[in-house]
Amino acid sequence: MNIIYFVAQQTMFFAIPLLIVALGGMFSERSGIINIALEGIMVIGAFAGIAFINVTQNSMSGQVLLLLAVLVAGISGGIFSLFHAFASIKLKADQTISGTALNMFAPAFAIFVARMVQGVQQVQFTDTFHISKVPFLGDIPVIGPILFQNSYITTYVGLLIALLSWLIINHTKFGLRLRSCGEHPQAADSVGINVYKIRYAGVFISGILGGIGGLAFVVPTSTNFNATVAGYGFLALAVLIFGQWRTKRIFFSAFFFGIMKTFASAYSGIPVLKDLPISNEIYKMIPYIATLIVLTFSSKNSQAPRAEGIPYDKGSR
Amino acid sequence: MKDFVLFENVCKYYRMGELEIPAALNVNFKIAKGEFCIIVGPSGAGKTTILNMLGGMDSCDSGIIQLDNNKISGLNERQLTDYRRYDVGFVFQFYNLMQNLTALENVELASEICTNPQDPKEVLKQVGLGERMLNFPAQLSGGEQQRVSIARALAKNPKILLCDEPTGALDYNTGKNILKLLQDSCRNTGKTVIVVTHNLALTQMADRVIHVKNGTVIKIEENTNPIPVERIEW
C-alpha cells in the first residue's frame, strides 16, 4: 500500500504542472491561437516566481510566500504571453514562429538577468513549502495519503484551476464565445462577438496558467532554478493534444503522463521495478516513448479547434 | 417611418495593389420599417457589398448609411461590433454555424450577448426545430441548418434581418420553405427583412425590390401586392 501512496504522491509533482499548463494551452488554442510558446512562458513564470521567493524568503516563508510566488509567476507569464498575442492577433504573424521566438527568448532572458544580478545563472531557493501532512484531511484513509500527505499547495491550486477551467469553458458565456472564436471566427464576428478581444483573453489566460505551471514544476522537484523547465511545456502540448482540447480528457492525460514520468524518475523507490534487470536508461525513456505511441494513435481522430492557427482576417468573412 | 434604412450616395472601393475596383457607386435607396425587401442583380453587381455595409461587416468609403435614425457609416470597428451585436441578425448562404456547438448552443451564442433576447428554445420551436435542439449541425440537413441560423439571427431580436442568398445552397422545395419562414417572420413579427438573391422570380414576394447592377441601383420597384412564396414558381 505504501508503494501506491508513494507513486501517487510522486505523480502529483509531475502531473499537476502538466495539467495547469495544458489547460492554459487549451484556453489559447480553443480561442484559435496555437500556443507553442508554453515552454518559454513556463520558464518566465518559474523565473519570476523563484526570483520572488529568492528575494523575499528572508522575511517570509511557508504557504503564504508560495501563494504570493504563484501570483507573481501567473502575472509575469500572462504579460509575457501578450507578446505572442500581439504578434499573432494584431500583426497576424505566423503563430508557430512567434511561439518559437518566445521559447528561445525566455531561457536567454532568465540566464542573462540572473547572471547580471547575482553572477550565477542558478537562482537558489529554500524549500519551506513542503506539507508533510495536511491537518485533519491527511488522516482520511486512502485519500489522505494520496492527496494530503507529502504535497505542495500548488497541487490544490492545480486541481482548483482544473475545476474552474471546466466550468468556464463549458458553462459560461465567455467559454461559449471562446469556443466559437476557435471554431468559426467569421460567424462569431457576424453575431457581434469581438474575436480579437476574446483571442487576447484566451492567450492571456494561457500565459497566466503557463507561468503558474512553471513554478509548480520547479518548486517540488528542485532547490534552484536553472533557466529550464526540462521540456515540460512541450510535454504539456502533447497532453493537450492527447486530451483532445477537452478539460476532462486533459485531466486524465496529464495524470497518465505524470505516472509515466514517475516510473522514469522514481522507479528506484519502487521495489518491483528496481529488481527488474532493466537499465536506468530504459526507464528514463518511458515518458517519451509513451508520448510517441499515444500520439500516433490519438492524433488520427484529432478534434482540434477548426480555425486554430489561422489569423483572423475580417476581409475573408 | 419611411426611412428605416437609408443609403445616400454610398461608395465603396476595393483596392487590389494599384487598382481601385468600385464595388458600390453612389448607391441610394430607402426601406421602410417592417418591409420585406429583396436586393436582386447578377453576381458581382455589389449586392453582398451593400448588405455587408448595412450589416456593419464592411465600412463604406463615402456617403451616409442609416438604420432607424442611427448613422452607421463612420463608426469604428468597436462600435460596429456593438452594432452587429445588438441591431443586426445575419443569415448566410452557407449557414456559418459552429460545428462543435449544438443547435441550441449556436442560438444561445447570439442570444446571450444582447440585451433583449428571445428565449433560444422558443425561437428554435418557431422555426420548426423543437425536436432537434441538441443535434450538432453535422446531424442536420441543409435546410435545418439554415433554420438554426435564422433562429440564431432572430433570437437576438434584431432591428433588421439580413439574408445573403439564404437559399443558395438548398434545393427548390427546401429553399421555398426557408423563404416562407423569412416571409412569415416579417409578416408576423413586423421585422424588417432584407434578402439578397440573383433569382428574379423571387421579386414577386417582396414589398420592395432593389435592382442592382455594376455597383449601382438601376431600379427600385414597390410591390403593393406581394405574393406568398408558395404561389411563386421558378
Side-chain angles (χ1 to χ4, degrees):
Chain A
M1 213 50 189
N2 280 332
I3 292 163
I4 293 175
Y5 293 152
F6 170 75
V7 170
Q9 289 159 3
Q10 287 293 315
T11 302
M12 287 293 172
F13 300 155
F14 296 114
I16 291 294
L18 280 179
L19 175 66
I20 299 174
V21 178
L23 287 171
M26 176 184 75
F27 276 99
S28 172
E29 305 221 336
R30 295 205 75 178
S31 80
I33 304 289
I34 292 182
N35 196 348
I36 65 162
L38 289 172
E39 175 88 2
I41 293 170
M42 282 179 81
V43 168
I44 290 290
F47 175 66
I50 299 294
F52 175 77
I53 293 173
N54 180 290
V55 170
T56 54
Q57 63 189 358
N58 293 327
S59 50
M60 270 190 283
S61 68
Q63 307 312 328
V64 181
L65 176 58
L66 184 55
L67 283 176
L68 283 176
V70 163
L71 208 64
V72 170
I75 292 168
S76 50
I79 292 170
F80 188 59
S81 73
L82 288 179
F83 290 113
H84 181 55
F86 182 72
S88 48
I89 299 168
K90 178 81 179 171
L91 305 179
K92 304 193 196 313
D94 186 303
Q95 294 165 17
T96 313
I97 294 176
S98 151
T100 308
L102 258 65
N103 283 339
M104 285 159 62
F105 173 78
F109 175 81
I111 290 172
F112 178 75
V113 173
R115 290 206 165 185
M116 287 302 282
V117 173
Q118 55 175 24
V120 287
Q121 70 184 49
Q122 286 87 354
V123 186
Q124 306 289 335
F125 67 97
T126 317
D127 186 351
T128 55
F129 320 117
H130 185 257
I131 304 170
S132 54
K133 192 164 133 190
V134 178
F136 182 66
L137 290 173
D139 293 325
I140 303 171
V142 187
I143 296 174
I146 290 178
L147 265 180
F148 298 108
Q149 289 179 14
N150 279 327
S151 67
Y152 284 85
I153 203 159
T154 46
T155 300
Y156 313 119
V157 172
L159 294 175
L160 186 70
I161 287 173
L163 183 69
L164 283 178
S165 301
W166 176 76
L167 277 174
I168 288 171
I169 281 280
N170 294 314
H171 296 282
T172 64
K173 292 179 195 180
F174 173 74
L176 193 60
R177 284 179 223 174
L178 188 90
R179 284 183 282 154
S180 72
C181 286
E183 196 67 19
H184 201 328
Q186 284 81 10
D189 195 24
S190 76
V191 295
I193 291 167
N194 190 333
V195 178
Y196 297 129
K197 209 164 91 184
I198 296 282
R199 287 188 164 182
Y200 266 109
V203 176
F204 188 61
I205 293 173
S206 84
I208 293 173
L209 298 188
I212 294 175
L215 186 69
F217 168 70
V218 173
V219 166
T221 52
S222 179
T223 55
N224 66 59
F225 174 67
N226 193 7
T228 176
V229 289
Y232 256 56
F234 296 112
L235 208 50
L237 275 178
V239 168
L240 176 65
I241 295 167
F242 183 40
Q244 298 282 301
W245 293 266
R246 305 288 184 274
T247 324
K248 277 186 220 160
R249 297 185 64 163
I250 288 173
F251 184 84
F252 289 115
S253 56
F255 277 89
F256 171 78
F257 280 99
I259 288 172
M260 291 300 146
K261 189 76 189 165
T262 304
F263 286 141
S265 63
Y267 74 96
S268 56
I270 306 166
V272 188
L273 296 180
K274 193 167 186 269
D275 295 341
L276 289 176
I278 298 174
S279 73
N280 184 14
E281 284 74 20
I282 302 280
Y283 284 113
K284 288 261 185 288
M285 282 158 65
I286 289 178
Y288 306 101
I289 293 172
T291 311
L292 275 177
I293 294 172
V294 154
L295 286 186
T296 311
F297 288 106
S298 66
S299 60
K300 216 185 311 179
N301 47 2
S302 154
Q303 297 176 30
R306 206 156 298 184
E308 184 183 44
I310 307 162
Y312 179 55
D313 179 17
K314 281 178 183 291
S316 64
R317 194 159 40 193
Chain B
M1 283 300 282
K2 191 63 193 153
D3 308 344
F4 189 66
V5 177
L6 172 74
F7 267 60
E8 216 174 81
N9 293 322
V10 176
C11 297
K12 169 82 187 170
Y13 302 94
Y14 287 112
R15 278 167 201 88
M16 295 229 167
E18 298 284 290
L19 272 178
E20 268 199 351
I21 301 160
L25 273 177
N26 292 319
V27 174
N28 289 291
F29 64 83
K30 294 167 181 175
I31 297 168
K33 193 177 168 81
E35 274 188 338
F36 191 94
C37 171
I38 285 184
I39 300 177
V40 71
S43 51
K47 309 180 295 273
T48 302
T49 306
I50 292 172
L51 200 73
N52 282 348
M53 286 191 291
L54 178 56
M57 304 253 275
D58 233 336
S59 54
C60 60
D61 291 326
S62 66
I64 296 169
I65 303 172
Q66 276 188 4
L67 174 71
D68 198 12
N69 286 326
N70 296 316
K71 205 162 152 239
I72 296 149
S73 43
L75 295 183
N76 65 27
E77 272 303 327
R78 187 170 291 263
Q79 291 165 323
L80 281 178
T81 303
D82 279 345
Y83 165 70
R84 282 198 299 273
R85 177 178 296 189
Y86 299 117
D87 294 344
V88 186
F90 253 106
V91 175
F92 299 90
Q93 179 174 2
F94 296 107
Y95 330 129
N96 272 4
L97 297 175
M98 310 284 167
Q99 297 296 321
N100 61 342
L101 303 182
T102 62
L104 183 62
E105 283 178 316
N106 263 292
V107 178
E108 280 173 348
L109 183 68
S111 69
E112 277 184 350
I113 58 176
C114 56
T115 40
N116 184 25
Q118 299 187 47
D119 179 41
K121 288 181 184 156
E122 281 303 314
V123 186
L124 276 168
K125 276 181 201 150
Q126 270 173 42
V127 300
L129 287 176
E131 307 293 310
R132 310 294 302 272
M133 278 184 220
L134 298 179
N135 287 87
F136 287 94
Q139 298 163 325
L140 300 171
S141 71
E144 286 167 333
Q145 290 188 50
Q146 192 60 296
R147 282 169 193 274
V148 176
S149 87
I150 292 173
R152 179 175 68 183
L154 287 175
K156 291 200 296 183
N157 238 337
K159 285 182 181 164
I160 192 164
L161 192 60
L162 304 177
C163 315
D164 191 357
E165 296 276 7
T167 61
L170 302 172
D171 65 59
Y172 181 82
N173 284 320
T174 319
K176 249 185 175 177
N177 286 332
I178 292 294
L179 286 168
K180 179 166 164 36
L181 178 63
L182 290 172
Q183 200 175 25
D184 289 349
S185 318
C186 175
R187 299 283 177 254
N188 301 341
T189 64
K191 196 127 294 183
T192 312
V193 178
I194 301 182
V195 175
V196 157
T197 180
H198 60 266
N199 188 345
L200 274 169
L202 297 181
T203 55
Q204 301 166 63
M205 69 182 278
D207 298 309
R208 183 182 298 270
V209 185
I210 298 169
H211 294 265
V212 185
K213 199 176 176 185
N214 291 333
T216 47
V217 176
I218 51 169
K219 189 167 67 173
I220 299 178
E221 289 175 293
E222 272 188 74
N223 237 342
T224 39
N225 262 327
I227 304 171
V229 68
E230 298 94 311
R231 304 223 313 263
I232 303 175
E233 299 289 334
W234 67 86

